[in-house]
Amino acid sequence: MIAGSGIGLRDEIDEIHSRVSALSAREFEVLRLVATGMTNYSIGMELGISERTAREHIARIMLKLRVSSRVEIAVIATKWDFFRLVHSDRFSDSDESSRGRRKSTGR
């Protein structure tokens, strides 16, 4: 987890940005839903995918974010939203669209 790593705030922002940027648009959608506390079943229903596919997305998200729990996914997502709001001038609109803000065209 980033919080206990002893790095500065700017470094933490950059590290979170780097990790979140590694997610696909679909993984980013799943990250948002995990952060709201949704179950794998509910995520599947929301996105029109199976519960198993939702679970596989979550496993890949955990690998890419280098975390070991859904709670840590939620913490990263919350920090990402906070940093994005506070430091919105640091990240371009094109970067924002690549993180899942564009409409998905399929699975």
Side-chain angles (χ1 to χ4, degrees):
M1 186 75 191
I2 295 172
S5 63
I7 60 178
L9 181 59
R10 184 169 298 274
D11 292 334
E12 184 176 9
I13 293 167
D14 291 342
E15 180 66 22
I16 289 172
H17 182 258
S18 173
R19 291 180 188 187
V20 172
S21 294
L23 301 178
S24 70
R26 179 59 110 185
E27 290 166 345
F28 192 76
E29 288 178 289
V30 173
L31 172 131
R32 292 275 191 204
L33 298 175
V34 168
T36 67
M38 290 180 81
T39 65
N40 293 350
Y41 177 80
S42 297
I43 291 169
M45 293 299 290
E46 177 75 18
L47 299 178
I49 59 177
S50 72
E51 183 176 0
R52 180 179 175 177
T53 300
R55 186 173 51 246
E56 290 172 1
H57 282 306
I58 292 166
R60 280 194 302 278
I61 291 166
M62 287 180 177
L63 285 173
K64 289 180 179 182
L65 295 181
R66 290 178 270 171
V67 299
S68 58
S69 73
R70 295 170 78 99
V71 171
E72 289 178 297
I73 290 174
V75 169
I76 294 281
T78 302
K79 285 183 176 185
W80 171 249
D81 283 341
F82 175 75
F83 293 143
R84 191 177 49 80
L85 290 172
V86 173
H87 303 285
S88 61
D89 60 320
R90 293 198 57 197
F91 308 112
S92 69
D93 290 335
S94 63
D95 184 51
E96 184 65 26
S97 67
S98 70
R99 295 288 36 95
R101 294 286 189 221
R102 65 179 179 252
K103 296 212 183 250
S104 178
T105 58
R107 291 181 214 151

